Amino acid sequence: DEFLSTLSTPFLSGSDLSHLDCEVLPKLHHLRVAASVLRGYHIPATYTSLWRYLHHGYNHHVFRRSCPPDQEIVLHWAGRPDTPTISTENHNMLTREIPKFSFDIPALAVPVKIEN
């Protein structure tokens, strides 16, 4: 979050997606989705620069068209031997659900002190 706060552009290398962003954004999104379901971990809303970066990715047509649904991300990571598994019931439920995409970001209100 600290590094991302130093950027003056929406993406890592400028105002549009670069190869580097195409490597980093999907990994961050996978982390967000899989860690939430498999570990109960949620990226803190206070990481505003990280959320801003994800927001720009979520609103870019290339990212939106190429991103798999949340269910596929969870099933991929749950099927690996080095990550927690999910129950057969949850697995079956995920395969039957309508595809869901977590492109939302938290709204964080920061109090502003108004001096007279």
Side-chain angles (χ1 to χ4, degrees):
D1 190 62
E2 186 177 330
F3 169 74
L4 291 171
S5 71
T6 65
L7 298 179
S8 61
T9 59
F11 297 104
L12 296 175
S13 298
S15 60
D16 203 11
L17 278 176
S18 67
H19 179 76
L20 182 59
D21 296 302
C22 291
E23 293 285 335
V24 174
L25 277 168
K27 288 176 175 68
L28 284 173
H29 184 66
H30 274 236
L31 172 71
R32 176 193 181 186
V33 172
S36 172
V37 173
L38 299 174
R39 293 282 188 183
Y41 174 79
H42 302 281
I43 299 171
T46 55
Y47 288 3
T48 55
S49 298
L50 177 66
W51 284 112
R52 180 183 52 81
Y53 180 60
L54 283 170
H55 172 72
H56 289 297
Y58 293 161
N59 285 292
H60 198 282
H61 68 281
V62 171
F63 185 86
R64 290 181 78 88
R65 280 193 223 154
S66 62
C67 188
D70 292 358
Q71 295 93 322
E72 286 185 31
I73 293 170
V74 172
L75 291 172
H76 166 77
W77 287 104
R80 294 177 51 95
D82 54 342
T83 58
T85 59
I86 55 175
S87 68
T88 304
E89 181 181 313
N90 285 342
H91 183 279
N92 292 338
M93 182 183 69
L94 286 171
T95 59
R96 289 191 296 262
E97 284 182 345
I98 294 171
K100 176 184 158 201
F101 296 87
S102 293
F103 293 148
D104 58 319
I105 61 165
L108 182 65
V110 179
V112 176
K113 182 179 179 183
I114 300 174
E115 295 181 19
N116 291 330

